Amino acid sequence: MLPSLGPMLLWMAVLLFVPCVGKTAWLYLQAWPNPVFEGDALTLQCQGWKNTPLSQVKFYRDGKFLHSSKKTQTLSMGAATVQSGGQYSCTGQVMYIPQIFTLTSETVMVQVQELFPPPVLSATPSPEPREGSLVTLRCQTKLHPLRSTLRLLFSFHKDSHTLQDRGPHPELCIPGVKEGDSGLYWCEVAPEGGQVQKESPQLEVRVQAPVSRPVLTLHHGPTDPAVGDMVQLLCEAQRGSPPVLYLFYLDEKIVGNHSAPCGGNASLLFPVKSEQDAGNYSCEAENGVSRERSEPKKLSLKGSQVLSTPTSSNWLVPWLPVSLLGMMVIAAALLVYLRPWRKAGPLPSQIPPPAPGGEQCPLYANVHHQKEKDEGVVYSVVHRTSKRSEARPAEFAAERKFYHLCRGEMPAAQ
């Protein structure tokens, strides 16, 4: 009987030993390749000690059931991604006649490394270029140093269509951009022969087109407006990248402004308060690229005449009465200033006979403005003196000289 007890004791020892060391010595998990990159074919293999056959193999990731197989000990994960990483383990059944044991492997950390970061698309010189300029789109990324021998291919897209298929060039040139080239651009990068492809975030390109010359329209009643009526100014530039700022002018003075964030027209509504609201109105459109001014439109009010541009003759009209008044004041001042010089006595051939009694008559000054074709202003002095002044010819000669000077004549030589 003792010889027959030997095999039984040996199996009992094995059965006692397996539960204690089964997790570490009898079953283990392998993952390859190592290191693993994006796009690599990730494979997991659950193995028993000394290739002991396993059955009912199950795989777990981060403690959650992943896959099971009754016969195979290998699990293909396909092309690895960054999300494929995690804590992996496996379980399997080992048969030790007459018993079957379920063993569990140690946890293996699988970390999938990034082959290249997502690309970034940029526009040079700016994502808001001026119309007609050259724009270069550049798709930028970099391979991992351990996989630097791979070849990357680039493609460019706008909205829902492809601008350039996959190729080795990371740049795309767009010469003479137009307003229609505005839109959302993005690029895609993939290694040659690989299964990894990454897209860049979308880049909005807004081509800045200059504004066209705006058109100003005046809206009021069927006739010229009067004080108290409402007038609307409507200004519109047919083209130009928004936002557009509109300025309204009366002659050269800004009377209002309005912004059009999405383009289109702008209006200014105001009541006529006085005749000063009449004149030449215009508007200006500006969008940061260019600035254009409309043709002026004249606004006339009922019962008033507004001159768009003063002429030389019109300019003289308001000054004519002022000029005449000034000349009259100057002439009167000269007469008053020179009056103390006058002595009693008649001017030869100029003074009428003296009044009875020899009394001197009051002095009269008359100023007469000639027409434009005449030479100047005619002044006349009328007075009466007594006979006693006839004996003083030298003083009369002085008055005669003054008389001729006032008429703009040169006195005769004595």
Side-chain angles (χ1 to χ4, degrees):
M1 294 183 62
L2 290 177
S4 61
L5 293 176
M8 294 180 63
L9 293 175
L10 178 62
W11 279 110
M12 291 179 64
V14 170
L15 294 175
L16 292 174
F17 175 76
V18 168
C20 298
V21 299
K23 290 186 179 181
T24 56
W26 292 90
L27 197 66
Y28 58 92
L29 179 68
Q30 284 184 324
W32 72 84
N34 187 26
V36 57
F37 284 88
E38 292 176 301
D40 291 346
L42 177 60
T43 302
L44 303 177
Q45 186 174 25
C46 192
Q47 290 182 320
W49 182 61
K50 292 186 177 180
N51 294 324
T52 302
L54 300 175
S55 62
Q56 301 295 330
V57 177
K58 297 180 180 179
F59 294 89
Y60 299 84
R61 182 173 66 185
D62 299 329
K64 297 180 180 180
F65 174 74
L66 187 64
H67 182 76
S68 65
S69 175
K70 293 182 178 181
K71 298 181 179 181
T72 182
Q73 300 175 207
T74 303
L75 175 62
S76 177
M77 299 289 293
T81 64
V82 175
Q83 290 74 26
S84 301
Q87 301 281 346
Y88 286 85
S89 62
C90 67
T91 62
Q93 292 183 351
V94 180
M95 180 177 292
Y96 295 99
I97 300 174
Q99 290 189 342
I100 298 175
F101 301 94
T102 300
L103 307 178
T104 303
S105 71
E106 285 189 335
T107 300
V108 175
M109 178 65 183
V110 176
Q111 184 175 3
V112 180
Q113 300 192 50
E114 193 174 47
L115 184 61
F116 57 88
V120 176
L121 183 65
S122 61
T124 305
S126 168
E128 296 186 353
R130 293 195 175 189
E131 190 176 49
S133 62
L134 171 67
V135 176
T136 301
L137 300 178
R138 181 175 289 109
C139 192
Q140 294 176 306
T141 188
K142 188 177 181 180
L143 281 167
H144 191 282
L146 296 179
R147 298 293 178 91
S148 59
T149 57
L150 292 177
R151 186 187 186 193
L152 294 178
L153 302 178
F154 303 85
S155 61
F156 294 86
H157 310 266
K158 174 182 179 289
D159 298 330
S160 59
H161 60 275
T162 301
L163 300 177
Q164 177 178 293
D165 289 325
R166 287 183 180 179
H169 303 292
E171 294 183 354
L172 174 66
C173 294
I174 307 176
V177 292
K178 301 178 178 61
E179 195 171 7
D181 292 322
S182 299
L184 297 176
Y185 289 78
W186 50 279
C187 67
E188 185 181 81
V189 181
E192 188 174 26
Q195 300 184 22
V196 180
Q197 58 185 30
K198 296 184 179 182
E199 297 178 358
S200 70
Q202 290 183 335
L203 174 68
E204 183 178 9
V205 175
R206 297 175 56 189
V207 180
Q208 301 297 305
V211 293
S212 59
R213 190 173 191 181
V215 176
L216 179 66
T217 307
L218 303 183
H219 292 283
H220 50 76
T223 61
D224 291 340
V227 175
D229 292 343
M230 300 298 293
V231 176
Q232 183 185 33
L233 307 180
L234 183 64
C235 186
E236 182 177 14
Q238 294 294 330
R239 65 183 305 270
S241 299
V244 179
L245 176 64
Y246 289 97
L247 300 175
F248 296 90
Y249 293 84
L250 171 55
D251 297 327
E252 293 300 322
K253 180 182 177 181
I254 298 178
V255 294
N257 63 79
H258 183 77
S259 178
C262 300
N265 57 39
S267 63
L268 178 67
L269 183 66
F270 64 94
V272 178
K273 296 180 179 180
S274 67
E275 292 187 355
Q276 294 183 352
D277 291 331
N280 291 319
Y281 285 85
S282 61
C283 69
E284 186 177 76
E286 189 269 332
N287 68 343
V289 180
S290 66
R291 176 180 296 179
E292 293 290 339
R293 190 84 167 260
S294 70
E295 288 284 349
K297 291 294 182 68
K298 178 180 175 181
L299 177 64
S300 300
L301 303 183
K302 286 182 180 179
S304 65
Q305 294 182 351
V306 181
L307 302 176
S308 58
T309 304
T311 60
S312 59
S313 60
N314 291 335
W315 181 82
L316 290 175
V317 169
W319 291 98
L320 186 57
V322 179
S323 301
L324 292 176
L325 180 60
M327 296 174 69
M328 292 175 66
V329 172
I330 294 174
L334 288 173
L335 291 174
V336 173
Y337 177 74
L338 296 175
R339 184 174 181 179
W341 294 359
R342 182 181 298 109
K343 302 298 182 177
L347 291 175
S349 69
Q350 300 290 333
I351 308 300
E359 297 180 358
Q360 185 175 356
C361 297
L363 177 65
Y364 295 90
N366 181 30
V367 181
H368 176 64
H369 188 273
Q370 299 289 338
K371 297 182 178 179
E372 294 181 6
K373 64 181 180 179
D374 295 333
E375 295 179 356
V377 182
V378 176
Y379 300 86
S380 61
V381 180
V382 180
H383 62 85
R384 297 185 66 181
T385 59
S386 63
K387 292 182 179 181
R388 288 178 298 179
S389 62
E390 295 177 357
R392 308 173 75 172
E395 295 177 2
F396 297 153
E399 288 190 352
R400 179 189 295 271
K401 182 177 181 180
F402 168 72
Y403 173 79
H404 287 291
L405 287 174
C406 291
R407 295 192 58 184
E409 301 173 357
M410 293 296 296
Q414 299 294 329

